[in-house]
Amino acid sequence: MKLLTQERYQSILSIINERNAVTVAELADMLAISESTVRRDLTALDELGKLKKVFGGATSLTKPEGMLEDSVSLRENLMKAEKTEIARYAAKTINNADFVYIDSGTTTSRLIDFIENDKATYVTNGILHARKLILKGLNAYVLGGKLRQSTEAVVGAEGIAGLKNFNFSKAFLGTNGIDIDAGFTTPDVEEAMMKESAVRHSYIAFVLADHSKFRRVFSVTFSQLKKCCIITDSLPDQRFAKETVIKEVTK
C-alpha cells in the first residue's frame, strides 16, 4: 500500500526516534519506497526541524536531558552484564608502574572488582570506590572535599585542588552521555569540573560507558571526544569511531 506524504513523515519520525539514527537504505527498505523519496522526505523534515539530516541518513534531535540523575543503587542494576565486561577489560590495561585515577560511577566501581595489579597506585573520588580499594589491600588515596549524595562522590574546590597535585598515567572515568557534538556530558557542574580536571592531568583517559550512553546529552560537557578513549560493550553508531579511539569488548 502506497503511503501518503504525511504518513511517510510520521513513519520516518517514529523509526528515527526509536532507533536514534537510521540510513536512507534502511528507511527505503522498511517503508518500501525509493531512496530518492526518502532523501526528499528527510530534507523536508530537516527543514521543519523534526530531525537532523546527515550524510547517508538522519538522526533524532538530541536535546539536553537536564540536571536529573538516578541514584547509585538504581544505576547499579542497569546494564549489569555490559558493565561487567567493560570493567573486566579495563582492569587488564593497568600496569605495575601506573598511577591511576578512578572516577566515581557504577562502571568504574565494577572495575575495582577486577583489579589484580597490586603494584600500581590508585586515587579516587568515590567513597564506595575507596572502601573497595582498601578491602583489596591496594595502595590507594581518596580525595577530600564536598560529598555529593546522589553519586557518593567527592566534588568541589577541595577535590579539584587535590587533583591538580597529581599526574596520572591512566584515568578511568564514568559519563552520563556521549554525543558527537556535545562530547562527554554529565548532569552536575561540580562533577563535570572534577572529570575535566582528571582528563587534563592524565596521560591517557578512558571513559567506561555501555552502549546506552551514546547519543545522549546532559547539561554539562567535561571533555571533547578526541581527548578520551572509550571502552564500551558495543558501538551503536559507527560515526563515533571517526572521532576517537573506541574498544568494543564484545567483539
Side-chain angles (χ1 to χ4, degrees):
M1 183 178 67
K2 187 175 181 180
L3 294 176
L4 299 175
T5 300
Q6 290 302 320
E7 292 176 328
R8 290 200 314 272
Y9 285 1
Q10 187 60 50
S11 296
I12 289 171
L13 291 173
S14 295
I15 293 169
I16 289 177
N17 288 333
E18 179 182 351
R19 299 178 57 173
N20 290 316
V22 69
T23 67
V24 170
E26 287 172 333
L27 285 171
D29 183 61
M30 295 171 74
L31 300 178
I33 57 178
S34 68
E35 292 190 6
S36 60
T37 299
V38 171
R39 292 190 185 92
R40 286 197 300 270
D41 288 350
L42 293 181
T43 298
L45 289 167
D46 181 80
E47 291 173 352
L48 290 170
K50 299 296 185 181
L51 52 73
K52 182 177 181 180
K53 186 180 179 184
V54 297
F55 181 77
T59 64
S60 61
L61 293 177
T62 307
K63 297 180 179 179
E65 302 193 38
M67 304 291 287
L68 297 177
E69 186 169 27
D70 295 327
S71 66
V72 172
S73 59
L74 178 59
R75 287 185 286 117
E76 279 181 337
N77 293 314
L78 298 175
M79 300 290 174
K80 293 180 71 172
E82 291 85 350
K83 291 177 181 178
T84 295
E85 292 308 309
I86 292 167
R88 192 193 310 274
Y89 178 89
K92 293 177 181 177
T93 69
I94 299 173
N95 301 316
N96 289 351
D98 276 333
F99 187 40
V100 181
Y101 178 72
I102 303 178
D103 183 30
S104 64
T106 55
T107 310
T108 52
S109 174
R110 195 73 55 86
L111 162 68
I112 299 173
D113 297 336
F114 294 100
I115 291 178
E116 297 180 355
N117 193 312
D118 59 1
K119 302 292 193 298
T121 300
Y122 303 89
V123 178
T124 186
N125 72 324
I127 301 306
L128 172 63
H129 299 50
R131 183 174 184 274
K132 292 175 77 170
L133 288 166
I134 290 173
L135 291 175
K136 294 197 75 163
L138 299 174
N139 185 26
Y141 297 82
V142 62
L143 296 173
K146 174 184 174 183
L147 290 175
R148 185 168 182 241
Q149 184 175 0
S150 63
T151 57
E152 300 176 7
V154 173
V155 296
E158 294 88 350
I160 293 172
L163 275 173
K164 289 179 179 179
N165 294 323
F166 298 122
N167 295 296
F168 302 106
S169 57
K170 291 185 176 78
F172 297 97
L173 306 169
T175 189
N176 295 81
I178 306 174
D179 181 75
I180 288 176
D181 295 323
F184 299 103
T185 60
T186 192
D188 184 75
V189 173
E190 290 184 310
E191 285 220 30
M193 293 174 67
M194 291 288 290
K195 294 174 189 289
E196 181 182 33
S197 183
V199 172
R200 191 182 310 119
H201 289 88
S202 300
Y203 182 68
I204 301 175
F206 296 96
V207 172
L208 311 186
D210 65 76
H211 66 271
S212 69
K213 303 295 181 66
F214 288 87
R215 297 190 296 254
R216 299 185 69 185
V217 177
F218 286 78
S219 303
V220 191
T221 295
F222 65 85
S223 175
Q224 296 176 314
L225 295 187
K226 65 182 180 181
K227 293 184 178 181
C228 302
C229 303
I230 300 173
I231 303 177
T232 186
D233 57 306
S234 63
L235 187 60
D237 187 336
Q238 290 302 317
R239 291 180 301 146
F240 286 91
K242 298 179 181 179
E243 304 297 325
T244 191
V245 176
I246 299 176
K247 172 61 181 178
E248 298 176 76
V249 298
T250 56
K251 285 194 170 183

